[in-house]
Amino acid sequence: MNKLIKIIHTTELNMDLVKNGILLSKNSVNNLFGQREPWQVASITASSVLTSIWLWNFLFQDESLYNRLKKFTFTQIKKIPKFKKQVEEETKKISDLFENEVIENTKSEKYVVELPSQGISRDELIKTVNRYLNLGKYNWKEGFISGAIYYYDEELIKLLTEIYGLASYTNPLHSDIFPGICKMEAEVVRLVLNLFHGDSNCCGTMTSGGTESIVMACKAYRDFGRNECGIKKGEIIVPRSAHPAFDKAASYFGIKIIHISLHPDTYTVNLKKMENAITKNTLLLVGSFPNFPYGTSDDIEAISALGLKYNIPVHVDCCLGGFIAAFMPQAGFPLPPFDFNLPGVTSISADTHKYGYAPKGSSVILYSDKKYRHNQYYVCTEWPGGHYGSPTVSGSRSGGIIAACWATLMYFGMNGYITSTKEVMDTKIFIEKQLRSMKGIFIFGKPTTSVIAIGSDDFNIYRLSDALNSRGWNLNTLQFPIGIHICITHLHTKPGVASLFIEDLRQELIEILKTPNVELTGKMAMYGMSATLPDRTIVGDITRYFIDAMYYTPK
């Protein structure tokens, strides 16, 4: 009882303090405005409110104040005539570098910039396309590249070319006209759902690739958050290693994206920081299995548990290695749970055109429930042309791609994919073991499926990439920290390819370690420079010039 009385007295004392505080504030305001005209009171009040709103909007934006100040500072510096001229000169050199590379790669062919007056014959068209396909310096059919082409077999190409031709003019948008194409798409989705242990409630759609699958998932969760949870300013939480398609979706759909740092030893997402970033506006938690840069996989089981704990959807990005991970246990390579077996996982993206070996332009986005897929759809009911609805970004879609993807899955079957997975993983294990035995380089984390990322504490690793490039190998470059990676495909399982790669790398590594402090030159010097530039807008401009060069035609 005494404790209760003490609490009551304390509460009364606190109430008196609040009351006195309000009275003091009231008197202060009255003293401040007591001698002023009514119009002055109204003007000061309005100005104060507007200033407060402006200050709040200025301070609390999706982009941090620090980043905005940094951008503003660099923008102002680049307006100074001396620096402006220097930046323009350097970016012109870079633009010319990209353009000249395109010119060099296509110098044997004339550019067609106007329609021919008469149509070109079939034989001539076939010859021209074959010549175009052989432009460039990389022997991609023999496995000299990282990723990009995941399977190449003349028999399969002949089959898929015929099937694509049969369905090339069909369009699943017109489901009443082409019900067979819609049937094939539905079967692709259900087949892949079964691979990822989806139950009868699970669903999905096909898309044009991994980026669209991710973009569609983010759109679905944005709308689900708005419609079902009242979240007006949604946020998605992703590992720093997550694919930039999530950033793209955030940019397109006005979603705030929060990047979580990785553990420096495992190169997987820091789960404690991910949990600390969760707010009432969180729409989605993301994990990669595996991620693109390092080939390491986030702890999906733990992310799933976070999703359940806070009632937040969880997306697993399996775009890169999903069609290896799905078959690894049956091929003799155990994996931790990562798919719909986990109750917190609500969506998965997986690319059928990577290790599913289907032609380019096909992927799937899968959901644990139709309530999420319904928010992916776009529906317009007020158009004079009738009711319009489409499942993905595209309206019209290629029935040929759907048919070719379906046929690829049928062609390989379960045993075909298990065999291929074993071959890829055996090759990956061989290459990783050889690389780990070499001095002067290290492997980032523990690769889960087919990607091996390489770094060095002794020299600039871009030198190794450049040296291998001179031998005909094309590897991917990484930044923050700098590194390179090779994505093992079925092409690398061909006899002698992996051994040749290791031998070429070993020889170049020996030479580099003789002079480890030599500086980079050429295009690799530009990559090295861009990784250290504090003004990322310049790096963005460099990327835009690279894309510009892809559309080069003579003036």
Side-chain angles (χ1 to χ4, degrees):
M1 181 63 74
N2 289 334
K3 284 186 178 180
L4 182 58
I5 293 171
K6 187 176 180 180
I7 291 171
I8 292 171
H9 282 310
T10 303
T11 305
E12 288 177 345
L13 181 60
N14 290 335
M15 290 299 293
D16 287 340
L17 289 173
V18 171
K19 192 174 181 181
N20 291 335
I22 293 173
L23 186 61
L24 180 63
S25 300
K26 178 182 174 183
N27 291 335
S28 298
V29 171
N30 287 337
N31 290 333
L32 178 64
F33 290 101
Q35 304 300 319
R36 296 185 183 273
E37 298 275 345
W39 69 268
Q40 291 177 310
V41 175
S43 298
I44 293 171
T45 302
S47 299
S48 299
V49 170
L50 292 173
T51 302
S52 299
I53 293 171
W54 177 87
L55 188 61
W56 176 271
N57 289 332
F58 177 76
L59 292 174
F60 299 99
Q61 294 183 23
D62 289 347
E63 190 174 24
S64 70
L65 180 60
Y66 170 77
N67 285 337
R68 281 179 282 139
L69 288 173
K70 189 169 73 170
K71 280 185 181 179
F72 176 79
T73 302
F74 283 124
T75 301
Q76 298 309 309
I77 290 174
K78 285 188 290 187
K79 288 181 180 180
I80 299 172
K82 178 182 176 181
F83 291 109
K84 182 179 179 181
K85 184 178 180 182
Q86 289 178 345
V87 170
E88 288 175 349
E89 289 175 352
E90 291 303 314
T91 51
K92 177 67 166 59
K93 290 178 184 177
I94 292 170
S95 177
D96 290 344
L97 176 69
F98 290 139
E99 193 169 287
N100 289 336
E101 187 172 25
V102 172
I103 293 170
E104 177 64 24
N105 286 335
T106 59
K107 64 183 179 182
S108 61
E109 296 288 340
K110 291 182 179 180
Y111 276 82
V112 179
V113 294
E114 292 181 354
L115 281 173
S117 56
Q118 298 294 326
I120 299 175
S121 69
R122 176 191 180 278
D123 290 345
E124 186 61 30
L125 285 172
I126 296 295
K127 283 182 183 178
T128 303
V129 171
N130 277 323
R131 288 202 316 271
Y132 280 16
L133 290 175
N134 288 318
L135 294 175
K137 62 182 180 180
Y138 296 110
N139 190 356
W140 54 270
K141 292 181 182 179
E142 299 302 321
F144 276 73
I145 58 174
S146 169
I149 306 297
Y150 293 83
Y151 196 92
Y152 188 81
D153 178 78
E154 294 287 351
E155 180 185 347
L156 178 61
I157 289 172
K158 186 177 179 181
L159 169 65
L160 296 181
T161 299
E162 185 175 352
I163 287 174
Y164 181 89
L166 291 172
S168 60
Y169 277 82
T170 65
N171 182 356
L173 184 66
H174 303 288
S175 58
D176 54 338
I177 303 174
F178 305 111
I181 292 295
C182 294
K183 178 178 182 290
M184 281 188 273
E185 179 176 11
E187 289 177 353
V188 168
V189 170
R190 182 51 57 183
L191 286 168
V192 182
L193 277 168
N194 289 337
L195 292 176
F196 291 109
H197 302 102
D199 61 22
S200 59
N201 292 320
C202 292
C203 57
T205 70
M206 287 186 66
T207 68
S208 63
T211 292
E212 189 182 6
S213 289
I214 290 169
V215 166
M216 287 289 88
C218 292
K219 188 268 182 192
Y221 289 119
R222 184 202 66 172
D223 288 2
F224 180 80
R226 284 180 179 177
N227 299 333
E228 304 298 328
C229 309
I231 300 175
K232 295 182 179 180
K233 295 186 177 180
E235 303 171 356
I236 57 176
I237 301 176
V238 307
R240 177 58 65 181
S241 54
H243 196 278
F246 291 99
D247 297 81
K248 194 175 194 177
S251 175
Y252 282 0
F253 300 134
I255 304 169
K256 181 178 180 180
I257 186 165
I258 300 170
H259 297 95
I260 306 300
S261 61
L262 310 179
H263 288 290
D265 49 348
T266 63
Y267 288 87
T268 60
V269 69
N270 187 315
L271 291 164
K272 186 175 181 181
K273 291 184 177 180
M274 175 173 273
E275 183 171 14
N276 290 339
I278 293 173
T279 71
K280 60 183 177 62
N281 291 321
T282 303
L283 297 169
L284 182 66
L285 305 178
V286 173
S288 303
F289 202 94
N291 63 56
F292 176 86
Y294 311 109
T296 56
S297 292
D298 298 312
D299 187 344
I300 305 302
E301 193 168 10
I303 298 174
S304 168
L306 281 180
L308 291 174
K309 179 179 178 180
Y310 294 98
N311 194 28
I312 298 171
V314 172
H315 179 85
V316 183
D317 178 20
C318 292
C319 285
L320 175 57
F323 267 81
I324 284 186
F327 301 102
M328 278 177 64
Q330 292 146 298
F333 306 94
L335 286 175
F338 68 93
D339 56 17
F340 289 121
N341 267 331
L342 296 171
V345 172
T346 55
S347 58
I348 297 173
S349 51
D351 285 0
T352 42
H353 68 195
K354 288 190 172 75
Y355 291 98
Y357 305 135
K360 290 297 178 185
S362 69
S363 175
V364 291
I365 173 63
L366 310 172
Y367 298 102
S368 62
D369 195 283
K370 286 183 180 178
K371 66 183 180 182
Y372 299 120
R373 186 173 67 173
H374 282 177
N375 282 282
Q376 174 183 303
Y377 298 160
Y378 175 78
V379 175
C380 178
T381 60
E382 308 304 320
W383 181 43
H387 298 164
Y388 174 88
S390 64
T392 62
V393 169
S394 301
S396 293
R397 291 182 293 146
S398 171
I401 288 293
I402 292 171
C405 177
W406 178 89
T408 305
L409 295 173
M410 299 299 104
Y411 177 86
F412 278 92
M414 184 67 75
N415 289 337
Y417 282 117
I418 292 172
T419 300
S420 173
T421 296
K422 189 175 189 315
E423 291 169 348
V424 171
M425 287 305 299
D426 285 342
T427 303
K428 174 259 184 182
I429 290 169
F430 165 75
I431 291 176
E432 182 181 353
K433 183 178 179 181
Q434 294 297 313
L435 292 174
R436 288 191 185 276
S437 70
M438 298 181 192
K439 293 182 179 180
I441 59 174
F442 64 84
I443 304 299
F444 289 91
K446 294 181 180 180
T448 306
T449 57
S450 56
V451 171
I452 305 170
I454 310 166
S456 176
D457 294 322
D458 300 324
F459 64 93
N460 191 314
I461 196 68
Y462 288 169
R463 284 183 63 196
L464 181 59
S465 179
D466 199 29
L468 288 170
N469 193 275
S470 67
R471 288 180 177 250
W473 298 96
N474 179 272
L475 272 63
N476 299 88
T477 55
L478 315 175
Q479 60 179 354
F480 312 135
I482 64 169
I484 57 176
H485 87 210
I486 180 168
C487 178
I488 311 300
T489 70
H490 194 266
L491 297 179
H492 296 113
T493 69
K494 291 182 178 180
V497 176
S499 298
L500 178 61
F501 171 73
I502 289 297
E503 185 56 31
D504 283 352
L505 189 147
R506 181 179 281 111
Q507 292 300 321
E508 293 299 339
L509 183 59
I510 290 170
E511 291 302 312
I512 289 171
L513 290 175
K514 290 177 182 178
T515 56
N517 297 320
V518 171
E519 293 186 0
L520 292 167
T521 58
K523 191 162 67 173
M524 283 301 164
M526 183 197 68
Y527 284 138
M529 172 204 68
S530 67
T532 60
L533 281 175
D535 183 4
R536 306 310 291 174
T537 60
I538 292 180
V539 181
D541 288 339
I542 292 172
T543 306
R544 291 180 182 91
Y545 292 133
F546 176 79
I547 297 172
D548 283 345
M550 293 164 57
Y551 294 93
Y552 166 81
T553 53
K555 295 179 181 177

